[in-house]
């Protein structure tokens, strides 16, 4: 695990309640620059909620999130007043890729990518377009720049979504089950883009069910269950000799279903 | 589709030939159906005309004076277009208010919609045209002459205000549904990119919502063109007022009301056509 100096993400004692459901039960975690962290666990374990709390798409019930110096804190179901004003700052530190892509259907591939840099950061159009085309090349879709999402496959849409998030030059990329909505034959092209990003040293937090990918790309794998981080470690350790019986049971089931490569 | 057909000669691919034949056949059947419906329309209209000609009416009078009524078309369209624009603005704010968590925004929009939908348009028109000047008069007596002027509206302004307020309230629901029909994921994607609520609304949500609500707003516009006849009671020289004026003067009610009705009908047909063209244009990004 590369421990390059100070952590870039610091989460302290994060709790999240949905009504009477206690979904996150006190999560603390530090992530270092250039680190690739993969979170695994069964559905309902709180992995996605945790990820969404990092950019405040969900408001934590209590706890503290710090990303690259921007701190947002909640207590007793409310954000602290000074934290509320920092939500956007926090979001600018992160880029998010969603399970359902959420590309903008009324904009072409290139327009999807240049929209936020121009509108949010005030980047001049030529500059945004240049950067946008560079990102399109990176995700292998330069030939689709003027195409609307309806004419793209799921894998292509997800690659546009990744490029769109990268265009804001975030410090940390968050991936929320980026391949779960894809047809099996399209998963590879998205994972390959993510592998490239990992090689370049992008800091990434990835929630996924792709165990082979996790094994190959992660610096650290975290197993979550019942809203808690049960076990974490390098992929070799988690996948070959997990310590916690819950992790063992989860992985045994995955192996039965034939998804662990 | 057409481009692919043109580039590959049909005989090179038997499947394509069969497909083209099927498409052509389906098109022919649709055309025949349309023609049949058209014939029914013509027969009905012919019967109606024949029936009318049995009455003691004078088509010559109607033709001679149609021009006088037609000169009101501009006013009717003008009042309707301005009103639908203002109503759309009100409806947008009303919808945002209803969807907002702010108690003031929610309260203001909720009361506005409730009061307007709970009272007849005719009373609203009267109140704005006749009631507001009385309020203005009393304000003047209280020593606010500038305020008093604001409350004294001309007939056209009063008509536009009444129609805008009325339609704005009904269209709030249309806008609300449109904003909600844009997927939650779109809001989240925009938020995750760091957009403010206003940027999100203007750049991501509204462009998609407008496409969804265009058919309903078009419908409202078509309805408004006819409801704008209500402003004739304030003496605005639009279609209904002009028709009514001649009808009363020469006791030619059937003739002049028919003239007005036909003009409104033609306006509606043209508006529907424009609306479908607009819908097609806005669908561009969504066609495979």
């Amino acid at each position: 695990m590369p421990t390059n100096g100070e952590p870039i993400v610091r989460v302290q004692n994060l709790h999240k309640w949905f009504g009477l459901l206690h979904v996150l039960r006190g999560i603390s975690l530090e992530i270092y620059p250039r680190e690739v962290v993969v979170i695994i666990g069964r559905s309902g374990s709180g992995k996605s909620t945790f990820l969404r709390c990092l950019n405040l798409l969900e408001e934590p019930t209590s706890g503290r999130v710090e990303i690259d110096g921007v701190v947002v804190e909640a207590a007793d179901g409310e954000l602290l007043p000074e934290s509320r004003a920092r939500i956007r700052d926090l979001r600018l530190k992160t880029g998010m890729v969603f399970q359902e892509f959420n590309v903008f259907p009324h904009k072409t591939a290139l327009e999807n990518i240049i929209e936020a840099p121009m509108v949010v950061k005030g980047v001049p159009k030529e500059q945004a377009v240049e950067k946008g085309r560079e990102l399109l090349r990176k995700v292998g879709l330069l030939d689709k720049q003027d195409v609307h999402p309806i004419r793209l496959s799921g894998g292509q849409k997800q690659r546009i979504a990744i490029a769109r998030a990268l265009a804001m030059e975030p410090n940390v990329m968050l991936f929320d089950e980026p391949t779960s909505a894809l047809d099996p034959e399209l998963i590879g092209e998205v994972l390959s883009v993510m592998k490239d990003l990992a090689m370049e040293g992008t800091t990434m937090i990835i929630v996924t069910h792709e165990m082979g990918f996790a094994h190959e790309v992660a610096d650290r794998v975290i197993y979550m269950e019942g809203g808690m981080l049960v076990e974490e470690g390098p992929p070799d350790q988690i996948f070959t000799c997990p310590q916690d019986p819950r992790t063992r049971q989860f992985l045994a089931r995955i192996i039965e279903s034939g998804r662990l490569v | 589709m057409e481009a692919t057909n043109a580039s590959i000669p049909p005989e090179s691919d038997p499947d394509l030939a069969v497909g083209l034949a099927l498409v052509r056949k389906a098109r022919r059947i649709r055309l025949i159906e349309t023609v049949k419906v058209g014939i029914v329309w013509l027969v009905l209209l012919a019967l109606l005309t024949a029936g009318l000609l049995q009455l003691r009416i004078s088509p010559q009078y109607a033709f001679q004076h149609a021009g006088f009524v037609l000169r009101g078309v501009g006013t009717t369209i003008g009042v309707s277009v301005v009103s639908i624009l203002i109503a759309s603005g009100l409806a947008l704010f009303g919808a945002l208010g209803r969807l907002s968590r702010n108690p003031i925004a929610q309260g203001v929009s909720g009361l506005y919609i409730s009061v307007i939908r709970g009272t007849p348009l005719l009373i609203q028109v009267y109140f704005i045209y006749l009631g507001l000047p009385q309020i203005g008069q009393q304000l003047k007596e209280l020593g606010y002459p500038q305020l008093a002027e604001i409350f004294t509206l001309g007939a056209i302004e009063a008509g536009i205000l009444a129609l805008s307020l009325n339609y704005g309230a009904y269209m709030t629901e249309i806008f609300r549904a449109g904003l909600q029909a844009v997927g939650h994921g779109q809001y989240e994607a925009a938020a995750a990119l760091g957009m403010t609520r206003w940027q999100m609304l203007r750049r991501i949500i509204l462009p998609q919502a407008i496409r969804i609500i265009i058919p309903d707003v078009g419908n409202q516009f078509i309805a408004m063109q006819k409801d704008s006849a209500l402003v004739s009671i304030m003496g605005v020289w639009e279609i209904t007022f002009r028709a009514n004026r001649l009808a009363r003067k020469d006791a030619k009610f059937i003739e002049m009301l028919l003239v007005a009705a036909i003009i409104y009908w033609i306006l509606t047909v043209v508006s529907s056509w424009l609306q479908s063209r607009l819908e097609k244009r806005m669908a561009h990004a969504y066609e495979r």
Side-chain angles (χ1 to χ4, degrees):
Chain A
M1 186 205 325
T3 50
N4 329 351
E6 288 289 294
I8 190 161
V9 177
R10 248 189 258 252
V11 180
Q12 281 166 14
N13 200 20
L14 198 70
H15 285 264
K16 175 67 185 177
W17 290 76
F18 283 122
L20 296 175
L21 276 183
H22 196 177
V23 183
L24 298 180
R25 297 165 177 260
I27 291 187
S28 298
L29 180 66
E30 291 188 340
I31 287 162
Y32 292 85
R34 307 175 70 83
E35 200 180 8
V36 176
V37 174
V38 170
I39 304 178
I40 58 172
R42 61 196 70 186
S43 357
S45 58
K47 341 180 267 302
S48 285
T49 305
F50 171 64
L51 206 65
R52 292 161 55 81
C53 279
L54 293 183
N55 67 352
L56 267 291
L57 284 185
E58 299 294 350
E59 285 188 13
T61 305
S62 67
R64 184 173 184 279
V65 175
E66 176 181 348
I67 300 179
D68 194 34
V70 178
V71 181
V72 170
E73 230 172 319
D76 295 329
E78 269 186 295
L79 289 188
L80 304 190
E82 66 271 24
S83 287
R84 190 159 289 283
R86 287 197 216 108
I87 292 179
R88 269 189 72 237
D89 298 337
L90 194 76
R91 287 180 179 157
L92 290 172
K93 298 285 182 191
T94 59
M96 186 161 217
V97 176
F98 299 86
Q99 182 177 345
E100 299 294 341
F101 330 132
N102 297 340
V103 288
F104 304 135
H106 60 303
K107 296 191 175 294
T108 64
L110 183 63
E111 286 166 355
N112 260 278
I113 297 170
I114 63 176
E115 177 69 18
M118 283 166 54
V119 171
V120 177
K121 284 186 167 174
V123 174
K125 181 154 187 192
E126 311 83 74
Q127 211 176 312
V129 167
E130 195 183 322
K131 171 98 200 232
R133 288 173 52 89
E134 188 189 311
L135 285 166
L136 277 172
R137 192 176 304 122
K138 186 170 183 164
V139 300
L141 290 172
L142 190 54
D143 57 325
K144 302 287 185 195
Q145 71 164 38
D146 296 321
V147 175
H148 281 94
I150 191 140
R151 294 197 191 85
L152 298 173
S153 73
Q156 291 170 329
K157 282 185 217 173
Q158 192 61 300
R159 286 186 278 155
I160 296 294
I162 293 172
R164 176 179 71 178
L166 289 172
M168 291 298 280
E169 301 177 333
N171 302 53
V172 183
M173 284 289 286
L174 311 174
F175 292 85
D176 187 7
E177 301 198 25
T179 58
S180 299
L182 292 175
D183 290 341
E185 81 271 19
L186 301 176
I187 290 176
E189 63 191 62
V190 172
L191 292 182
S192 129
V193 167
M194 291 169 66
K195 265 177 220 167
D196 292 346
L197 292 178
M199 302 282 263
E200 289 167 18
T202 313
T203 312
M204 298 158 82
I205 308 177
I206 305 165
V207 169
T208 186
H209 294 293
E210 296 296 326
M211 298 301 158
F213 169 80
H215 202 156
E216 187 181 344
V217 174
D219 295 307
R220 184 161 37 136
V221 175
I222 295 176
Y223 175 67
M224 251 183 104
E225 190 176 306
M228 286 184 289
L229 307 186
V230 171
E231 184 170 358
E232 62 169 289
D236 275 336
Q237 183 197 315
I238 296 287
F239 288 119
T240 53
C241 52
Q243 306 297 305
D244 196 286
R246 289 168 289 181
T247 318
R248 249 177 270 151
Q249 202 192 6
F250 172 73
L251 289 171
R253 265 196 222 144
I254 299 260
I255 291 167
E256 268 169 43
S257 71
R259 292 194 70 173
L260 184 53
V261 186
Chain B
M1 205 62 204
E2 245 97 335
T4 15
N5 294 349
S7 56
I8 309 164
E11 54 276 14
S12 68
D13 176 359
D15 260 8
L16 188 58
V18 173
L20 277 175
L22 284 172
V23 167
R24 278 200 209 104
K25 191 178 170 195
R27 217 178 274 163
R28 203 166 51 237
I29 291 174
R30 265 207 308 278
L31 184 67
I32 291 171
E33 278 167 1
T34 313
V35 169
K36 281 180 184 164
V37 173
I39 292 172
V40 173
W41 275 52
L42 285 177
V43 170
L44 286 176
L45 286 174
L47 284 174
L48 211 68
T49 314
L52 279 171
L53 289 175
Q54 300 304 307
L55 304 171
R56 270 181 287 103
I57 61 169
S58 131
Q60 297 88 334
Y61 182 90
F63 278 115
Q64 272 165 18
H65 295 87
F68 179 76
V69 182
L70 273 172
R71 263 178 280 149
V73 167
T75 310
T76 292
I77 293 179
V79 167
S80 303
V81 167
V82 173
S83 300
I84 200 81
L85 290 177
I86 299 176
S88 297
L90 286 171
L92 175 59
F93 280 108
L96 293 175
R98 294 211 82 171
L99 294 174
S100 136
R101 282 197 211 149
N102 183 318
I104 296 175
Q106 246 185 55
V108 169
S109 60
L111 182 65
Y112 161 58
I113 294 160
S114 180
V115 168
I116 296 287
R117 293 211 300 189
T119 53
L121 174 57
L122 186 58
I123 289 190
Q124 292 162 16
V125 170
Y126 275 133
F127 189 87
I128 287 169
Y129 189 54
L130 305 173
L132 286 190
Q134 282 196 336
I135 296 175
Q137 191 54 39
Q138 296 189 23
L139 283 171
K140 202 174 188 174
E141 286 158 17
L142 288 169
Y144 304 103
Q146 294 93 340
L147 270 181
E149 249 167 66
I150 297 174
F151 278 85
T152 314
L153 295 171
I156 288 191
E157 289 94 325
I160 288 173
L161 182 61
L163 285 172
S164 304
L165 282 175
N166 186 273
Y167 274 72
Y170 283 96
M171 285 162 61
T172 293
E173 287 303 301
I174 296 175
F175 274 67
R176 189 180 59 84
L179 290 172
Q180 283 179 329
V182 177
H184 193 57
Q186 296 290 309
Y187 289 86
E188 291 198 334
L193 287 166
M195 291 193 189
T196 62
R197 292 184 66 83
W198 170 241
Q199 288 166 343
M200 195 186 297
L201 186 70
R202 189 170 54 93
R203 306 287 309 181
I204 306 301
I205 305 304
L206 267 186
Q208 297 183 56
I210 284 172
R211 186 185 139 259
I212 297 170
I213 64 181
I214 280 274
D216 290 320
V217 171
N219 222 1
Q220 294 291 314
F221 179 62
I222 285 168
M224 183 186 268
Q225 285 175 5
K226 271 88 64 180
D227 273 351
S228 73
L230 273 178
V231 306
S232 65
I233 60 175
M234 300 181 295
V236 177
W237 284 63
E238 44 67 81
I239 296 171
T240 304
F241 181 83
R242 286 170 174 266
N244 202 13
R245 196 175 158 87
L246 284 185
R248 281 172 194 280
K249 191 171 84 114
D250 299 333
K252 297 282 188 199
F253 286 101
I254 301 175
E255 290 85 347
M256 293 324 290
L257 292 178
L258 274 177
V259 165
I262 289 169
I263 294 173
Y264 280 116
W265 192 13
I266 293 170
L267 281 181
T268 301
V269 170
V270 173
S271 304
S272 309
W273 178 74
L274 285 174
Q275 181 189 336
S276 68
R277 297 238 352 211
L278 187 61
E279 279 169 34
K280 280 201 189 109
R281 250 186 68 184
M282 299 207 56
H284 171 70
Y286 299 83
E287 281 160 0
R288 281 172 191 279

